[in-house]
């Protein structure tokens, strides 16, 4: 059985090249595959391998105070979903290119936990009686596999397109509670921060993204699967992959 992990953490990294090399060496020693992204703003990890290898890698990372509180989302598959191991230093761990959406420069936007979102969707409004709008910050390729019921989806092909695509909807969202979401939380964290800094004080982020929602409460209120960027293609609400055997 292969353990598949997704994790990110925004924190000040003064030595991204050194950290990237260290994480690559640890992942290689643990015989992991996947992607390690490091930037001055933090790390973004997609790693898969044996449970022992995964546990050892993240145990070593947890000893670094910079990553205190980092959440690791885990699912399992029969096959290894990554062909190889890659490690890169980038300007951002998720490219947004907007100053007002940079997590190291501002306090984190308010988050809402999956159980609360589930309850709001059941009752049709938040606890103050306001309509709840689920805002999908992912691209159209991902949305084809599934999204929250009645979510606001935008015609974007990359995350940097979001501000322009959202502009026509802002007035209509004014009297609602907007919950931004994405696969694992990294994009909706930047999106929610930017939106609040840009005057939308009614925006929250779904803590842990879709995968965190599946992990904590299942798939209630969500139609379809969650696209993932590896050979599993997409996960259902039980975190089971659409594809779980190598292609011929």
């Amino acid at each position: 059985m292969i353990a598949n992990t997704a994790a990110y953490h925004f924190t000040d990294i003064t030595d991204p090249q050194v950290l990237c090399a260290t994480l690559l060496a640890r992942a290689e020693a643990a015989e992991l595959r996947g992607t390690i992204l490091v930037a001055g703003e933090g790390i973004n990890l997609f790693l898969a391998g044996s449970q022992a290898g995964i546990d050892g890698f993240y145990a070593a990372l947890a000893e670094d105070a910079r990553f205190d509180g980092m959440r690791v989302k885990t699912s399992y598959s029969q096959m290894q979903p990554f062909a190889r191991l890659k490690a890169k230093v980038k300007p951002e761990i998720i490219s947004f290119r907007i100053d007002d959406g940079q997590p190291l420069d501002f306090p984190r936007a308010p988050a809402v936990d999956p159980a609360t979102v589930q309850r709001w969707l059941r009752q049709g409004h938040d606890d103050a009686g306001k309509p709840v709008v689920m805002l999908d910050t992912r691209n159209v390729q991902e949305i084809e596999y599934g999204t929250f019921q009645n979510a606001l989806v935008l015609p974007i092909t990359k995350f940097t397109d979001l501000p322009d695509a959202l502009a026509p909807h802002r007035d209509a969202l004014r009297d609602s509670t907007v919950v931004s979401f994405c696969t694992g939380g990294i994009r909706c964290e930047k999106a929610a921060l930017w939106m609040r800094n840009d005057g939308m004080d009614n925006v929250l982020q779904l803590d842990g993204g879709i995968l965190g929602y599946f992990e904590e409460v299942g798939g209630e209120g969500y139609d379809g699967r969650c696209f993932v960027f590896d050979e599993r293609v997409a996960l259902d609400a039980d975190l089971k992959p659409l594809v779980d055997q190598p292609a011929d």
Side-chain angles (χ1 to χ4, degrees):
M1 187 68 71
I2 299 295
N4 306 281
T5 64
Y8 76 91
H9 196 70
F10 289 111
T11 187
D12 186 25
I13 305 296
T14 58
D15 54 351
Q17 292 286 356
V18 172
L19 179 61
C20 187
T22 299
L23 296 182
L24 176 61
R26 287 179 187 169
E28 288 176 335
E31 299 183 340
L32 306 182
R33 298 182 192 174
T35 302
I36 297 168
L37 299 180
V38 182
E41 66 178 5
I43 61 174
N44 191 11
L45 307 172
F46 300 92
L47 293 170
S50 69
Q51 188 68 64
I54 286 291
D55 289 346
F57 179 88
Y58 284 105
L61 195 57
E63 295 177 359
D64 189 328
R66 292 176 294 183
F67 307 110
D68 183 47
M70 183 178 73
R71 178 177 179 179
V72 181
K73 292 173 283 293
T74 305
S75 59
Y76 296 91
S77 62
Q78 296 295 325
M79 74 169 189
Q80 167 59 259
F82 298 103
R84 58 196 178 97
L85 176 64
K86 299 182 291 184
K88 297 180 180 179
V89 173
K90 305 191 75 174
E92 297 179 75
I93 53 174
I94 181 68
S95 183
F96 198 36
R97 302 175 194 154
I98 295 178
D99 290 343
D100 286 346
Q102 301 308 322
L104 295 189
D105 296 334
F106 303 95
R108 189 174 189 255
V112 57
D113 62 89
T116 299
V117 170
Q118 180 190 48
R119 178 166 52 80
W120 286 354
L121 295 178
R122 281 180 182 173
Q123 65 194 28
H125 54 78
D126 69 6
D127 294 335
K130 295 175 63 175
V132 174
V133 176
M134 302 297 293
L135 172 62
D136 202 326
T137 64
R138 301 172 302 155
N139 64 51
V140 291
Q141 175 193 7
E142 299 167 81
I143 292 168
E144 288 177 355
Y145 285 87
T147 189
F148 280 95
Q149 295 167 9
N150 302 313
L152 172 58
V153 299
L154 303 173
I156 64 176
T157 57
K158 55 185 183 299
F159 186 44
T160 51
D161 295 336
L162 187 141
D164 287 342
L166 181 63
H169 302 279
R170 290 181 59 144
D171 286 343
L173 296 173
R174 195 178 306 277
D175 296 322
S176 301
T177 292
V178 179
V179 179
S180 70
F181 68 92
C182 60
T183 305
I186 186 169
R187 282 176 286 183
C188 54
E189 181 160 345
K190 282 197 172 185
L193 180 60
W194 163 71
M195 284 186 278
R196 292 186 72 90
N197 283 336
D198 204 46
M200 296 180 66
D201 59 2
N202 57 332
V203 176
L204 307 171
Q205 57 185 307
L206 175 58
D207 206 16
I210 299 167
L211 296 182
Y213 187 88
F214 285 174
E215 190 174 57
E216 292 188 26
V217 303
E220 183 178 349
Y222 190 95
D223 285 333
R225 295 173 177 264
C226 178
F227 180 85
V228 290
F229 291 91
D230 59 56
E231 293 182 14
R232 294 171 297 164
V233 182
L235 305 183
D236 66 15
D238 294 321
L239 299 176
K240 294 179 179 177
L242 178 62
V243 176
D244 201 12
Q245 58 185 8
D248 294 335

